[in-house]
Amino acid sequence: SFVILFYMILKGREFLHIRKEKFIHYFQCVDCGGQLSFDSKLICKSCQREYEVVEGVPVFLPSDVKDDQKSQLDAQSKYFDKEYTELPEYKLENWRKSMIKRLDLASENQIEKENKVFCDFGVGGTAYTVIEQAKKYGHCLGTDISLQGMIKASKYAEQQGVGDKCFFFVATVEKLPLKSKAIDFTASISVLEHLFDDQKAISELCRVSNDVIYIVVPNTYKRVWLFLWPMYYYNDKKVGHLRHYAEEDLEKKFKSHDFDKKQVIYNGHLVKISQILLNKYLSNEKWWKMEEKDFVNKSKIAAQLNLIFGRK
């Protein structure tokens, strides 16, 4: 077991050294904001805090997490560690392809930059957003609270041939180990509703973002059909949702951090529910026709809210 542990440590250091020149300048100490060193260890040059690296994945959890936040964080980590450990091989299913299309829409008018940086905050174990964006962006980052998820994501990226363009790390969105305006295109998909302090998370997302922020959250209960409320409530309790969002409320929160709403998309209309229920019986062509109907539907009565913000 000692030999295996020693091998894992060496592999972790090798992974960091291969990528350190490409990614180190985006990061800072999560506690003091100091400069990091990726030499023999991952350590802050200012406060001397040493960060754990597991199979090449750095763990940047803050040292001052409050008890009530830690309880939510621990519960979510446990839940998603289990889910991501059991993930099968990498597969780009239709619903994931649809999300990639929405990401492309969010960034289509983005400021041109030779080595644009993409980061998905709460990327999940499949990391398909980061892996697929790595085919277009120079540098792609992904973070999640699940260590097992980030280890799995790193392996997927290697298998898909974009391991050298991707970097995964463990962090909380409420306190990020990234420098201000480090990220050109920020995505946070189905994350804010899980966080104990979403106000602080929004502040951090805006701090580290240079240009575009794409947010996906569950729509407010007031704009969801009454017959779906029991299912919504059950799912909220199961996966750890703490809240839902209205477009107007999120717009105000991001505007206070100098980000304006550029576009809003509501998805998960009745046609989407039909698509989900009939999924096994639909041809690929029919599935995409229903997806398009859901996408172009402008009704605010829908399950999911997508918001695209741009820095003022």
Side-chain angles (χ1 to χ4, degrees):
S1 59
F2 176 78
V3 174
I4 294 174
L5 178 62
F6 184 68
Y7 174 76
M8 289 170 60
I9 293 172
L10 287 180
K11 291 298 290 182
R13 289 179 177 175
E14 177 188 357
F15 183 95
L16 283 172
H17 278 292
I18 290 172
R19 292 157 175 78
K20 77 171 187 177
E21 295 301 324
K22 184 179 286 189
F23 292 101
I24 187 173
H25 59 283
Y26 300 127
F27 289 87
Q28 63 184 28
C29 177
V30 74
D31 285 340
C32 74
Q35 184 179 354
L36 297 177
S37 169
F38 278 167
D39 295 328
S40 59
K41 297 178 180 179
L42 177 55
I43 191 169
C44 174
K45 293 182 178 180
S46 297
C47 69
Q48 302 303 306
R49 177 177 174 182
E50 184 178 333
Y51 292 93
E52 182 183 16
V53 179
V54 183
E55 295 190 47
V57 176
V59 179
F60 287 111
L61 296 178
S63 58
D64 59 348
V65 179
K66 296 179 181 179
D67 289 342
D68 45 6
Q69 181 182 353
K70 189 175 186 302
S71 177
Q72 171 73 0
L73 186 64
D74 288 346
Q76 291 285 273
S77 297
K78 183 178 180 180
Y79 177 88
F80 287 108
D81 273 348
K82 183 178 185 299
E83 179 178 320
Y84 297 147
T85 300
E86 298 171 354
L87 285 174
E89 291 302 304
Y90 183 83
K91 184 179 180 182
L92 201 60
E93 296 156 314
N94 278 347
W95 68 269
R96 291 190 171 113
K97 291 178 182 177
S98 183
M99 179 58 73
I100 295 298
K101 286 187 174 184
R102 276 183 270 164
L103 284 169
D104 291 342
L105 175 67
S107 65
E108 64 180 0
N109 295 318
Q110 192 178 359
I111 298 171
E112 288 300 321
K113 186 178 178 182
E114 185 176 351
N115 284 312
K116 292 187 290 187
V117 184
F118 171 79
C119 185
D120 188 341
F121 296 89
V123 66
T126 55
Y128 71 97
T129 52
V130 171
I131 290 171
E132 296 304 314
Q133 292 298 315
K135 298 171 184 177
K136 301 184 275 285
Y137 279 69
H139 300 161
C140 291
L141 309 173
T143 186
D144 202 279
I145 58 168
S146 169
L147 175 59
Q148 293 304 316
M150 294 303 86
I151 291 172
K152 179 80 77 169
S154 182
K155 292 177 180 177
Y156 281 152
E158 291 288 345
Q159 292 169 6
Q160 293 298 310
V162 292
D164 61 325
K165 296 178 68 179
C166 300
F167 191 88
F168 297 97
F169 58 100
V170 174
T172 67
V173 186
E174 293 99 324
K175 199 165 186 180
L176 294 167
L178 293 166
K179 295 179 181 178
S180 297
K181 297 185 179 180
I183 310 301
D184 297 303
F185 181 20
T186 289
S188 188
I189 302 167
S190 303
V191 173
L192 289 179
E193 63 270 21
H194 292 269
L195 305 180
F196 179 79
D197 191 343
D198 64 332
Q199 294 272 21
K200 192 172 182 180
I202 289 170
S203 176
E204 277 289 88
L205 288 174
C206 292
R207 179 185 67 81
V208 304
S209 300
N210 184 45
D211 190 8
V212 174
I213 302 177
Y214 176 57
I215 299 292
V216 180
V217 290
N219 200 11
T220 176
Y221 270 84
K222 294 179 180 179
R223 289 176 179 158
V224 177
W225 305 275
L226 189 61
F227 72 88
L228 285 181
W229 283 19
M231 185 175 67
Y232 247 38
Y233 182 79
Y234 171 78
N235 186 64
D236 288 343
K237 293 298 181 183
K238 178 183 177 182
V239 302
H241 289 177
L242 300 178
R243 66 191 72 81
H244 287 220
Y245 293 89
E247 172 191 344
E248 299 82 0
D249 294 336
L250 266 186
E251 183 179 0
K252 288 178 183 177
K253 291 177 180 180
F254 277 88
K255 193 163 189 171
S256 68
H257 295 287
D258 295 325
F259 275 83
D260 284 334
K261 181 182 71 177
K262 299 299 182 183
Q263 188 172 2
V264 59
I265 301 168
Y266 286 88
N267 75 298
H269 299 92
L270 286 178
V271 67
K272 184 67 177 179
I273 295 172
S274 299
Q275 180 200 52
I276 292 171
L277 293 174
L278 298 172
N279 184 54
K280 292 183 179 180
Y281 310 101
L282 294 176
S283 66
N284 190 62
E285 182 182 2
K286 183 63 175 178
W287 191 96
W288 280 106
K289 282 184 178 179
M290 297 179 78
E291 187 74 0
E292 179 63 19
K293 286 182 179 179
D294 182 47
F295 184 79
V296 300
N297 192 329
K298 302 300 181 183
S299 173
K300 293 185 178 183
I301 308 301
Q304 205 166 51
L305 171 63
N306 304 248
L307 281 164
I308 301 168
F309 297 96
R311 184 174 286 279
K312 292 182 181 179

